[in-house]
Amino acid sequence: MTQFILIPTIAEESRHNMLLTAYSMPAGPLSEQDRSALDKQRSLITFPLQELGLSATGFRAIDSVRRLLAEQGRDVDWLNNHRLYCSGKCEGTSAELGLALALLLRDRVGELDIITSAALGGVGNNITIEAVAKIPEKLQFVLEQKQSGKLGDKNGLFFISNNYIDVDGMERPVNNLPVISKLAEIGVDVIAVS
């Protein structure tokens, strides 16, 4: 069973807001057409993300996963036999953590909804969870989706950075956002991490 990771995206018009689904699966063989279209400089792991314009986002996720596993002395070779998938396009860097978790949680059964919106950063073995924009709107959107029954009955974990980027481009702490307690009341725990 594959653990699906949900990534909220906020559009200019709220009716276009979406919860994208990211996941990874063991690789199957490439068709001749896919093989000929493959840029040899690109990773096969992110091949399914190319048509969505998410290759660079996938590369950052893979790099972070490789660094994390190497730091822990764990095998990284399995990565080459996996492919990352996403159900739609996500602007910016907010899908990076979701794609990394899709790889790391590949063998988990989806007992919880895992929701993420954060970028990845850091150097060397220090991997950081970075702030992204529109976190208050994404939290509100997930609240509305849960209240309307579109997320089902599972409890959830929503991973975000300790901070978010406001409309003025300033980093603000997430801990004072009132929507976080509303989400907790309906079974979605917001986990702010660095």
Side-chain angles (χ1 to χ4, degrees):
M1 183 80 180
T2 298
Q3 174 70 57
F4 294 100
I5 309 298
L6 302 174
I7 304 167
T9 63
I10 303 299
E12 294 297 320
E13 294 182 41
S14 63
R15 64 188 171 102
H16 296 295
N17 293 348
M18 292 188 295
L19 277 172
L20 301 179
T21 303
Y23 61 98
S24 70
M25 298 202 50
L30 287 177
S31 70
E32 275 306 311
Q33 180 181 2
D34 287 345
R35 191 177 308 284
S36 65
L38 180 63
D39 176 350
K40 297 302 180 196
Q41 301 303 312
R42 298 287 181 193
S43 167
L44 286 173
I45 303 167
T46 62
F47 185 72
L49 300 176
Q50 287 181 16
E51 66 187 39
L52 298 171
L54 291 174
S55 291
T57 302
F59 289 143
R60 285 187 294 277
I62 293 164
D63 178 61
S64 295
V65 169
R66 282 189 197 281
R67 289 187 291 139
L68 175 70
L69 294 175
E71 160 71 13
Q72 296 174 352
R74 295 173 57 199
D75 178 38
V76 296
D77 292 336
W78 63 266
L79 277 168
N80 295 327
N81 296 320
H82 266 70
R83 302 291 179 265
L84 272 171
Y85 298 90
C86 191
S87 64
K89 186 169 178 53
C90 180
E91 299 294 328
T93 57
S94 61
E96 290 176 5
L97 178 59
L99 291 173
L101 287 176
L103 288 166
L104 291 169
L105 300 176
R106 69 200 179 280
D107 294 331
R108 297 276 162 47
V109 175
E111 296 171 7
L112 294 170
D113 281 327
I114 305 293
I115 309 161
T116 69
S117 186
L120 296 170
V123 291
N125 294 332
N126 183 31
I127 298 166
T128 57
I129 309 300
E130 304 289 331
V132 295
K134 299 185 179 180
I135 288 296
E137 295 90 339
K138 292 172 183 179
L139 292 167
Q140 184 63 40
F141 178 61
V142 168
L143 176 68
E144 292 164 3
Q145 294 293 295
K146 187 72 172 169
Q147 288 174 329
S148 69
K150 293 180 182 171
L151 278 179
D153 296 333
K154 287 188 210 176
N155 286 343
L157 298 175
F158 193 153
F159 293 97
I160 58 175
S161 172
N162 288 327
N163 298 302
Y164 69 95
I165 300 170
D166 71 10
V167 295
D168 297 321
M170 302 295 297
E171 282 197 19
R172 304 279 182 220
V174 297
N175 59 357
N176 61 354
L177 296 172
V179 69
I180 291 175
S181 61
K182 292 178 185 174
L183 281 163
E185 290 170 8
I186 60 170
V188 179
D189 291 327
V190 176
I191 312 292
V193 293
S194 59

